[in-house]
């Protein structure tokens, strides 16, 4: 007799991109969101029965729906009942049902893919029939096929609401909107086929403090829904069907991680300065007003980036001036006297908002997004500026414009801001002083940073986009994620150029891309001369701990050395060696 353990699924380790740190241990929950019906995917033999059961449930549901339609039509449209009867017959047709079930079993195809393939074959058969009447019956097959497919996909969708306990979501992709709606009580982590470290889904995961691994390429084809799994979002490791030893090991890691998190909170109240007294402001990036409380608990000195587009994604209608005013005012009051840096709407690219991004652009990342959209659209921009100016009466508020690529855009924004201020003054509505800055995230802005610096009060470098545009690497594309190198010599030089332009002009320079929150880069950023690092608030205690053990002088010398190296690999090797030498304990904790 075979032993029971021989039949247990094998432990499998997958390596992806660690998108949000921490360890999660739970059952998987496979989600097929945004799938076009009929997409083929291989399944595991162990999944065959569940896939067939799902398909048969869809057949049963379709049948029940048709019977209901028949009942309702019986009184008024009796002459058409034969159509429904035909459809009911098709639902019993062996060529459709058995063929699909056979494909699932023989080809290890998912139900949706098998149904799609069967339907295509049936259509071909009908297309080749010479009798016109019979050929026209194809539409009946289409109609039944659509109904079946909808029920099949619908069943998968409903599953998320039906989560019975804690789960790790496994999805091909999760949009930022999907991620925002995850039930924090139940979803303890997620993994996706696509995405990179700086995709907005990854950023949101960090801000929601949910461990996540992205860019696994085909995790959805490898995981059976309900299978036990472990994810380590710090290292990008995913373990399917862990053995008892692995399980124990990761449980210990999880406890250690959670313990370190708590221990780090002592840094919340300590000043953010180097050993030799150089002060760098550590600010938080937030997406929604609700994040402000978490940001405060991590010891932020103000908000360096308020991504306002999430206010627009959270509802089906753009927020009104009053709603925005209240959100910005609440943030300003909560943070005073520290600043709240409100970035105007940055939609487009992967922050797609269907109600706003109406164009079908071939290359939306380089399309009508961010400030380009705001300037062209006008009405929303004006409303947002009014809300920001009004909130400025209640605290230390700054405004910044995203994706600026030339001085003309800055002037257009400033002109509009001035007009809106005059309008409010004429209406007798109070406003406050407002520092005006720009996001430096296009190569053009870097190249003319010296000219731009004369036009604004501060710069904030958005490295997530700057790296993407500088190296021509889509930040959300897992296939080129290996080329997304924050320490590429071109990126280092770009950062150096921006910092020195800001210094020469005497304006503040912040960095609010994801680089700012990674300890590996902290010394480099301080040495380059950034006066503010703005990051996911949960990263602040770690960055502060590291900063308090470093000196400005040594950080500068490190940067000088790194700037002489010709490849990203050499820069990384040199930096890691230095960090390992100087912070062995933090390095060994796997925190750098
Ligand atoms: C950036 O590009 O670095 C940035 C902070 O903006 P976002 O990630 O919202 O595009
Ligand atoms: Mg950006």
């Amino acid at each position: 007799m075979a032993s029971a353990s021989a039949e247990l699924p094998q432990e499998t380790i997958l390596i992806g991109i660690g998108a949000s740190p921490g360890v999660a241990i739970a059952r998987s929950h496979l989600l097929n969101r945004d799938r076009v019906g009929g997409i083929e995917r291989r399944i595991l033999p162990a999944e065959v029965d569940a896939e067939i059961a799902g398909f048969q449930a869809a057949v049963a549901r379709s049948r029940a729906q048709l019977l209901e339609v028949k009942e309702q039509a019986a009184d008024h449209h009796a002459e058409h009942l034969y159509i429904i009867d035909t459809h009911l017959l098709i639902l019993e047709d062996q060529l459709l049902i058995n063929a699909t079930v056979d494909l699932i079993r023989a080809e290890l195809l998912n139900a949706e893919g098998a149904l799609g393939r069967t339907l295509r074959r049936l259509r071909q058969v009908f297309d080749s029939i010479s009798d016109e009447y019979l050929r026209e019956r194809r539409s009946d097959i289409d109609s039944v096929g659509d109904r079946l497919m909808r029920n099949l996909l619908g069943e998968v969708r409903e599953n998320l609401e039906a989560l019975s306990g804690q789960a790790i979501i496994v999805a091909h992709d999760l949009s930022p909107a999907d991620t925002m709606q995850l039930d924090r009580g139940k979803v303890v982590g997620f993994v996706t086929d696509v995405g990179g470290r700086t995709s907005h889904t990854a950023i949101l995961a960090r801000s929601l403090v949910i461990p996540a691994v992205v860019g696994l390429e085909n995790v959805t084809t490898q995981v059976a829904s309900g299978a036990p799994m472990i994810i380590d979002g710090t290292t990008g490791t995913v373990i399917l069907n862990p053995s008892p030893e692995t399980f124990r090991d990761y449980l210990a890691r999880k406890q250690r991680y959670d313990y370190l998190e708590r221990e780090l909170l002592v840094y919340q109240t300590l000043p953010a300065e180097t050993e030799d007294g150089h002060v760098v402001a550590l600010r938080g990036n937030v997406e929604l007003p609700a994040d402000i409380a978490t940001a405060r608990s991590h010891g932020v000195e103000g908000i360096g980036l308020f991504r306002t587009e999430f206010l627009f994604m959270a509802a089906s209608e753009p927020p009104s001036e009053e709603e925005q005013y209240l959100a910005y005012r609440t943030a300003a009051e909560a943070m005073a006297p520290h600043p709240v840096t409100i970035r105007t709407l940055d939609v487009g690219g992967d922050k797609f908002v269907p109600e706003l991004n109406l164009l079908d652009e071939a290359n939306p990342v380089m399309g009508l997004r961010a400030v380009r959209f705001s300037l062209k659209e006008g009405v929303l921009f004006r409303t947002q500026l009014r809300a920001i100016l009004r909130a400025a009466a209640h605290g230390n508020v700054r405004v910044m414009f995203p994706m600026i690529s030339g001085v003309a855009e800055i002037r257009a924004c400033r002109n509009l801001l001035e007009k809106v201020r005059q309008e409010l003054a004429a209406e007798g509505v109070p406003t406050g002083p407002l520092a005006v800055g720009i996001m430096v995230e296009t190569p053009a802005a870097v190249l003319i940073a010296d000219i731009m610096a004369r036009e604004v009060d501060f710069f904030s470098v958005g490295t997530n986009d700057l790296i993407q545009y500088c190296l021509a690497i889509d930040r959300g594309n897992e296939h080129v994620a290996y080329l997304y190198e924050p320490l590429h010599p071109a990126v280092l030089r770009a950062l150096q150029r921006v910092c020195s332009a800001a210094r020469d002009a005497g304006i503040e320079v912040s960095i609010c891309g994801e680089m700012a929150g990674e300890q590996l880069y902290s010394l480099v950023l301080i040495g380059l001369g950034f006066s503010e690092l703005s990051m996911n608030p949960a990263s602040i205690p770690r960055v502060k701990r590291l900063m308090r053990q470093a000196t400005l002088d040594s950080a500068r010398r490190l940067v000088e050395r790194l700037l002489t190296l010709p490849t990203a690999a050499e820069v990384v090797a040199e930096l890691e060696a230095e960090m390992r030498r100087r912070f062995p304990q933090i390095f060994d904790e796997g925190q750098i």
Side-chain angles (χ1 to χ4, degrees), residues 375-396:
L375 283 170
K376 181 146 198 260
E377 191 276 343
V379 180
L380 286 178
F381 197 25
R382 197 177 267 270
T383 306
Q384 185 166 37
L385 293 177
R386 280 178 66 98
I388 295 172
L389 276 164
R390 287 175 59 196
H394 302 276
N396 180 356

Side-chain angles (χ1 to χ4, degrees), residues 198 200 203 285 305 307 309-310 343 346 351 369 439 441 461-466 475 512-514:
T198 58
H200 286 97
I203 291 172
N285 291 355
L305 169 63
R307 286 186 165 98
E309 49 279 6
F310 288 87
R343 178 175 73 182
D346 183 11
K351 281 175 288 194
R369 55 170 292 198
M439 297 275 298
E441 46 189 351
V461 183
T463 39
N464 305 338
D465 276 318
L466 182 58
R475 64 195 259 197
C512 63
E514 293 303 298

Side-chain angles (χ1 to χ4, degrees), residues 5 21 46 64 71-73 125 154 171 188 201 204 256 260 262 291 423 458 504 528 540 548 588:
S5 65
E71 207 179 40
Q72 284 164 3
V125 172
V188 293
T201 304
L204 265 179
R256 183 163 167 67
L260 281 173
R262 282 195 299 278
D291 301 339
E423 255 171 42
F458 67 93
D504 291 349
L528 278 165
I540 287 189
R548 291 176 56 84
D588 289 346

